[in-house]
Amino acid sequence: MELPILKDKNIFPTNEVLADVLEASFPAFEAFSASAEAAGLTLEWNYYNDGKAWLCKVLSKKKNLAWLVVYQNYFRTTSYFTEKHLDRIADMEITESIKEEFYRTKPSGKLIPMSVVITEKEQVKDALSMILFKKSSTLFSFSFTNVMNGSKKS
């Protein structure tokens, strides 16, 4: 298993740093970043001492929808889902092999990770579809919970 490459706490992952590490995959990162911003998402880099690496949260307001991890020559986005999402995930418009891998993955507690490895711009669509699905399922859960609790907020 390959480890994240951004390990130096003192080197923030700027575009220059990312271009050096991702090499030919950097245009895909730029496309992902631009698409995320266009979708109203924010990328927030933080150094985590427990894993001794820089990781990026993909946020909608303050809600973390996915993690982005950089490796040598590629990056991976991962969102976590629960059992209640299983039926709806089958209808997601993403590459079938991603869904197949998701269904084979063992849960970590109650959460099941879905990951998209990105080396080319064409793969950005799958990552954004996964993240926006997570966003819509979070909004649905929030709205449904509010309705069940009698709240008028949504």
Side-chain angles (χ1 to χ4, degrees), residues 1-140:
M1 182 173 152
E2 199 167 349
L3 297 174
I5 194 89
L6 302 174
K7 304 292 259 171
D8 191 332
K9 184 177 187 173
N10 299 312
I11 301 177
F12 186 85
T14 63
N15 278 348
E16 281 182 341
V17 170
L18 293 169
D20 286 345
V21 172
L22 291 171
E23 297 177 3
S25 298
F26 184 67
F29 176 81
E30 289 179 306
F32 176 82
S33 183
S35 298
E37 184 178 329
L41 305 174
T42 305
L43 302 183
E44 181 182 286
W45 289 98
N46 291 296
Y47 184 83
Y48 292 89
N49 283 317
D50 57 347
K52 304 278 188 241
W54 286 92
L55 304 178
C56 181
K57 291 185 207 179
V58 181
L59 302 166
S60 175
K61 298 182 182 170
K62 293 185 178 187
K63 176 70 177 167
N64 187 9
L65 300 175
W67 291 95
L68 185 151
V69 182
V70 176
Y71 302 88
Q72 187 68 50
N73 299 316
Y74 72 97
F75 64 101
R76 175 190 314 265
T77 58
T78 303
S79 291
Y80 292 86
F81 300 96
T82 60
E83 258 185 41
K84 70 180 179 183
H85 297 110
L86 293 178
D87 291 339
R88 291 184 51 222
I89 284 173
D91 297 330
M92 281 177 67
E93 292 188 27
I94 60 172
T95 304
E96 282 302 313
S97 61
I98 295 169
K99 288 191 247 185
E100 289 167 5
E101 179 67 26
F102 172 78
Y103 286 118
R104 284 193 304 267
T105 302
K106 292 184 180 185
S108 175
K110 292 184 178 186
L111 300 175
I112 309 165
M114 177 183 285
S115 293
V116 178
V117 172
I118 302 172
T119 57
E120 300 175 6
K121 288 182 183 180
E122 293 76 22
Q123 296 161 315
V124 169
K125 181 180 178 274
D126 283 335
L128 259 290
S129 293
M130 173 189 71
I131 293 166
L132 294 176
F133 173 84
K134 173 76 175 186
K135 181 179 179 183
S136 69
S137 66
T138 301
L139 291 173
F140 174 76

Side-chain angles (χ1 to χ4, degrees), residues 134-154:
K134 173 76 175 186
K135 181 179 179 183
S136 69
S137 66
T138 301
L139 291 173
F140 174 76
S141 295
F142 178 72
S143 298
F144 183 72
T145 301
N146 286 343
V147 169
M148 295 304 292
N149 292 332
S151 173
K152 293 184 181 181
K153 291 182 184 177
S154 60

